[in-house]
Amino acid sequence: MTNRHFSSAPVTLLVAGATSPEPCLPAARPPRRLDAGAVSAALARTATRRPRPSPPRGGGRLPEFLLVELHGGYEAEVLRAALRAVLPPDETDAGMPGGTPGGTPGGSEPLWERAVDGPDGLDRVLAELGRALTAGARLRAVLVEDRRDGLRRLFVGLAAGPTARAAELLERLREALAHPPEPVTVPTSALQREMLRQVLGRADHGGRHVEQLSWNWHGPLDTERFTAAWQSVFDHETVLRAAFDWDDTAGDGGDGGDGGDPWMVLHERAVPEVTRHPHGAVGWDDLLEADRLRGFDLRRPALLRATLLDSGPQDEDDGPATRVLLTYHHAMLDGWSVRLLLQAFYRAYLTGGVLPGGERRPDVRDHARWLAAQDSDAAREFWATRTAARAVLPLAPDPARRGSGRARRRLTPYEAVRLRGWAAAWGAGESSALQAAWALLLYRAAQAPEQRRPARAVRVGFAVTVSGRGIPLDGIDRLPGALRNPLPISVRVHPSTTVPQLLAALRDEVLDLAAYEWVSPGQTHRWSATPRGQRPHSLVVLEHQPTAPHHLRLETDLAAHGIHVGNPVPAGTFTSYPITLAAHYDATGGLVLTTTHDRALLADQDAVELLSQSARLLRTFPDLPNGLSTSEVLRSTLAGHPAPRPGGPADHPTGPDPAERGPAVRLEVLRRAARPGAGWVLLLPPPDAPHTRYPGTARGWPGPQALGVLRPASGPPSPGAYRPVLAPLLESLAPVALVAAPGSGVTAYEVARLGPPARPPVVVLLPEQAGPSDLFALAPLLADPP
């Protein structure tokens, strides 16, 4: 080492050795500026004594070491890369037993990041650094941030040893810091570039392309273990350590890869953000909205974060509950990817926060290489020969309307099963049924207001999502990344077209896209035969999640720890489309429909009307006669429901149709069955009964049957309104009993007639002043109905 080296990267000597059984490194000791001679002398003093792994019995000196402060502004990632470049792999793993990954003092991570308040906090950090060195570590560093002024200081500790060896380590570290390695970069896909251009440079991005998944976690939740598990997943998944970068001075660029295109930067390490709020600190809806609008700093890695919100007192049987929220950016991850990562997280949590194995491959680098090798000629020809849509959703921009809107409807499990079975009978899936309903609404909206019935065929168009995983790349189904892709489709709707014919046409349209799932929406528009044609104004999505080969085992292992986790529910992404219709299955098998829309382009009442009519069509499809034409279906199903015409007079109500607010009757489960096949005891409350009438008595229910309440949504419903809830129960072999309060007897008998004649449900009428004891007395009687 020379004086030139030290003058270019000065260091300060803090201590050269430990003089007490407990390594105490007083930061207040006057530091000395070092030159080459001072460093050599300090190293020589440490080399005259042989280091020992532990203090000798009866006291004495500990193994000595050199502690220096390097002056300069260093990024944590640059420091971590320099330390790993200096130390061999076997030496980076040396450290105090019991250390944890992620920069915890005493662990094997060569760089720690700590925040302190004042000199006392700094003393404690440096003492911890000394303990790591005396325990066998060759070199450790700590980046300390003073909370009082925000300044950061870097301290490096060198263990005692041969002078040449210690001097070499220090010199190599300084050289590595002076010449940091170039970051690993990966080209972005055309889809990513298009999404990024919609949000870059916009302070009012409105949470666009930010998605959220939430679920309930019942049972104990250790925050440190939760964070360590996510850190382990981050260490294994390249995509979680990736960020975007771009040239601020370049133009917009194109898809040809010029200087205006953003690129991905793969960082060596990223730390997950996990925040936990106590019960009552913030409302759930407020938390969802604030977290979405917060967005992400796309230049920094970890475009996925977790927020925990503790719930209030819960049922003793379920244990403590915590609501978990995962927020991520669609430019880096899609829903399929996050569910893959969630499976890895559960495995890491069950193993104490450590996920075995190395980095997942293939990863975003392999996908980028595959994309770069594709020849776009066939894709250009395919899109150039496709017929473009003539009618898309009409819009009426209004700058007075601001923000985004969201609405939700639900098909019951019974309705969802019927829809899926009906679509399968015609050789299609429920995604085709969802697209058929939307195509009919666009067709209806495209008709002139003065026309009383459709008189001509119309080719309608909208976008659908493809998984992006139907490409010939090994392991693509387990690769997390931004692969889900919206692509435009169009279909010709004639007044005489039947719904099964429409279903088949949409199915074939989507199948034609299978070979081009990697093509972006912008590319399809440029390659289209009519590039000046209208782009789709709407997007239709059916959320799927990857199959987990060990899903049941994970649930069992979590249950062994007293943990039960719910099914993640997507909140709904605000995309670049004026309106997005998304569907997903909930934990009970119901099909949840969600619309998100841009209020500046589509009024709330129009979006809600479109959603309500979509749900109505999906409920009606299984009951339609096979030969019914499109015009007849629309007249019979949506009679009295005007077609939304953005920009026209508000001739329809501003709120949703009362019949579309949700199920007319809901099943509220008070107590789960003690064993499979035990059956159900369903309570029919009297009219206008408060919702607190029965839940308090559920804890004392002695029977093996499940106990539930059939609650009308509003007013006394007709007996047929109970069918969607009761049909799956009545068709099973398990016994069902209807217990009616005074005033509900007639309804109970009418509802019982919905059951199969060979095995009708039992009807029990309670007396006027019936209490919990009367209800409990029925348990043994109803356990084996006649």
Side-chain angles (χ1 to χ4, degrees), residues 60-133:
R61 296 177 62 84
L62 286 170
E64 296 186 347
F65 52 88
L66 179 71
L67 181 64
V68 298
E69 179 180 1
L70 271 66
H71 303 279
Y74 301 109
E75 293 293 332
E77 185 166 349
V78 174
L79 289 169
R80 190 171 284 108
L83 287 166
R84 292 183 175 175
V86 167
L87 289 174
D90 58 336
E91 293 189 3
T92 59
D93 294 334
M96 292 183 66
T100 58
T104 303
S108 61
E109 180 65 30
L111 176 69
W112 308 332
E113 296 180 68
R114 300 298 297 275
V116 300
D117 293 310
D120 292 343
L122 181 59
D123 283 347
R124 288 191 294 271
V125 172
L126 297 181
E128 196 72 39
L129 184 63
R131 282 194 291 272
L133 294 168

Side-chain angles (χ1 to χ4, degrees), residues 645-707:
R645 301 192 183 282
D651 55 353
H652 49 78
T654 57
D657 176 36
E660 296 292 340
R661 295 183 183 274
V665 176
R666 300 178 185 272
L667 172 59
E668 179 182 340
V669 180
L670 303 179
R671 190 81 170 187
R672 298 186 180 94
R675 53 179 170 78
W680 288 84
V681 173
L682 303 176
L683 307 176
L684 276 70
D688 301 324
H691 281 251
T692 57
R693 181 180 181 97
Y694 293 115
T697 66
R699 294 185 180 180
W701 174 247
Q705 310 94 328
L707 183 65

Side-chain angles (χ1 to χ4, degrees), residues 16-18 42-52 61-64 160-162:
L43 292 171
R45 287 197 300 274
T46 64
T48 59
R49 300 176 177 86
R50 183 181 299 275
R52 287 168 289 186
R61 296 177 62 84
L62 286 170
E64 296 186 347

Side-chain angles (χ1 to χ4, degrees), residues 410 566-567 569 584-590:
R410 179 178 182 270
N567 190 45
V569 176
H584 72 273
Y585 285 98
D586 60 19
T588 65

Side-chain angles (χ1 to χ4, degrees), residues 326-639:
L326 278 188
T327 305
Y328 59 96
H329 203 284
H330 263 164
M332 192 66 75
L333 295 164
D334 56 22
W336 183 284
S337 302
V338 174
R339 286 173 170 83
L340 286 175
L341 299 174
L342 189 56
Q343 294 169 14
F345 160 76
Y346 285 141
R347 292 197 300 271
Y349 191 88
L350 288 169
T351 55
V354 179
L355 191 64
E359 284 190 349
R360 182 200 298 269
R361 298 303 290 266
D363 64 3
V364 290
R365 293 166 290 188
D366 303 290
H367 184 249
R369 280 193 291 269
W370 186 90
L371 286 177
Q374 300 312 300
D375 185 355
S376 61
D377 290 344
R380 288 174 182 268
E381 182 179 356
F382 172 80
W383 290 104
T385 57
R386 289 177 66 83
T387 306
R390 293 181 177 271
V392 294
L393 182 68
L395 298 174
D398 184 355
R401 300 192 302 256
R402 296 179 179 272
S404 304
R406 179 188 283 118
R408 182 162 287 183
R409 297 290 181 268
R410 179 178 182 270
L411 271 64
T412 66
Y414 175 70
E415 293 169 337
V417 168
R418 293 184 72 230
L419 177 67
R420 189 162 58 247
W422 169 80
W426 293 105
E430 60 267 50
S431 59
S432 297
L434 187 67
Q435 296 158 12
W438 195 251
L440 287 175
L441 294 179
L442 297 185
Y443 171 73
R444 187 168 182 248
Q447 305 306 308
E450 63 274 8
Q451 285 185 294
R452 296 192 175 184
R453 60 175 183 149
R456 58 187 177 87
V458 177
R459 180 168 286 275
V460 301
F462 52 96
V464 299
T465 55
V466 293
S467 70
R469 291 175 167 81
I471 62 175
L473 176 63
D474 288 342
I476 188 66
D477 59 324
R478 309 299 294 178
L479 188 156
L483 278 69
R484 195 184 75 174
N485 197 9
L487 294 178
I489 64 171
S490 65
V491 63
R492 183 175 180 270
V493 183
H494 191 274
S496 61
T497 301
T498 65
V499 174
Q501 290 172 340
L502 181 60
L503 203 67
L506 287 164
R507 176 201 61 201
D508 295 342
E509 275 283 311
V510 175
L511 289 176
D512 287 343
L513 304 180
Y516 306 102
E517 291 189 0
W518 52 275
V519 177
S520 73
Q523 290 173 323
T524 66
H525 185 69
R526 289 194 302 275
W527 298 341
S528 173
T530 54
R532 295 187 179 182
Q534 296 189 48
R535 292 195 184 209
H537 289 165
S538 54
L539 172 65
V540 178
V541 182
L542 178 62
E543 296 279 0
H544 288 288
Q545 62 183 56
T547 56
H550 306 297
H551 178 68
L552 293 178
R553 192 179 71 185
L554 280 174
E555 284 192 346
T556 302
D557 292 343
L558 287 169
H561 289 76
I563 299 170
H564 172 71
V565 292
N567 190 45
V569 176
T573 311
F574 291 92
T575 67
S576 60
Y577 294 86
I579 185 170
T580 298
L581 172 65
H584 72 273
Y585 285 98
D586 60 19
T588 65
L591 186 63
V592 181
L593 307 177
T594 304
T595 55
T596 55
H597 67 280
D598 187 344
R599 289 193 173 109
L601 299 174
L602 193 67
D604 287 346
Q605 62 265 27
D606 292 314
V608 170
E609 188 68 31
L610 285 167
L611 174 62
S612 299
Q613 293 181 18
S614 298
R616 179 179 290 274
L617 285 170
L618 293 174
R619 294 189 181 105
T620 306
F621 280 166
D623 297 323
L624 293 176
N626 295 342
L628 207 61
S629 67
T630 294
S631 56
E632 293 170 331
V633 169
L634 292 174
R635 278 200 306 270
S636 62
T637 304
L638 301 180

Side-chain angles (χ1 to χ4, degrees), residues 252-341:
D252 289 340
D255 291 325
D258 58 32
D261 289 336
W263 59 90
M264 278 189 289
V265 181
L266 305 186
H267 295 255
E268 186 177 355
R269 182 175 174 81
V271 178
E273 178 184 339
V274 178
T275 306
R276 188 164 190 170
H277 299 286
H279 173 63
V282 62
W284 178 250
D285 292 337
D286 294 336
L287 176 63
L288 279 173
E289 184 69 7
D291 194 59
R292 180 179 65 84
L293 293 177
R294 172 188 167 191
F296 289 91
D297 181 356
L298 298 177
R299 290 187 187 266
R300 300 182 65 86
L303 299 185
L304 177 147
R305 60 175 174 262
T307 307
L308 309 176
L309 178 62
D310 293 329
S311 299
Q314 300 291 320
D315 192 317
E316 297 176 358
D317 295 339
D318 294 333
T322 306
R323 300 192 78 170
V324 183
L325 174 65
L326 278 188
T327 305
Y328 59 96
H329 203 284
H330 263 164
M332 192 66 75
L333 295 164
D334 56 22
W336 183 284
S337 302
V338 174
R339 286 173 170 83
L340 286 175
L341 299 174

